[in-house]
Amino acid sequence: MNTSTVATAPTAGEAHPGIRRLAHVVALLTLPSGLWRIALVLGLPVASTAVAIPFGERVQIVGLSLVAEVLALLSLGLVQRWGEVLPDWLPVVGGRPVHRLAATVPAALGSMALTVIWTFAAVNLMSGTFGGNLDFLFPTFAQKVLLTLCYTPLLAWGPLLGVLTVAYFRRRAPR
């Protein structure tokens, strides 16, 4: 039997390929909503064109998109080497191992917070958007559907980050 064709289990220090793929999916979950917000700032008809957005709010909206994407990209640290050993280019601490609780506690808290925030937001948005309360902001059915499609992936962000967190914690457990 050729050993190159046999699937091997990941070593103790590397994440399972399925978990690695999941981390990349999590990193992309914020992209649709971020693109929707950027389209809003650019004046594309994703919402009512009757609402004028001041410059300061436009900057905040773009900033929110960037911060959300950076936070989502941090999930890659749960499957990459830089989530286990601090990069060498960092002064004083570079090259030192990351204590597993230093990564899992913030990730677990983030997972719980994201789950609560986006579940609450989805329930409120759906009751207001399709209940007629937000017809001024989203006058067309297509705008409501686009908003829903762009923000629905955020419902998975918290729970999937939780899966990554548990996998990281278990993988980094002392043998």
Side-chain angles (χ1 to χ4, degrees), residues 102-114:
T104 54
V105 169
L109 293 173
S111 171
M112 290 184 285
L114 289 167

Side-chain angles (χ1 to χ4, degrees), residues 4-96:
S4 64
T5 60
V6 176
T8 58
T11 63
E14 78 182 34
H16 187 276
I19 294 296
R20 293 179 71 81
R21 284 190 292 275
L22 181 63
H24 286 85
V25 167
V26 170
L28 293 172
L29 288 175
T30 59
L31 197 54
S33 60
L35 292 173
W36 184 92
R37 285 189 294 271
I38 290 171
L40 177 71
V41 166
L42 293 175
L44 298 175
V46 295
S48 174
T49 55
V51 178
I53 303 173
F55 178 76
E57 285 182 34
R58 290 175 187 267
V59 171
Q60 288 177 347
I61 291 169
V62 171
L64 173 64
S65 298
L66 294 174
V67 167
E69 193 58 41
V70 167
L71 290 174
L73 286 169
L74 283 176
S75 64
L76 294 173
L78 298 172
V79 298
Q80 300 286 341
R81 177 163 167 72
W82 55 268
E84 298 175 11
V85 178
L86 294 170
D88 289 332
W89 55 265
L90 288 172
V92 181
V93 296
R96 291 188 183 177

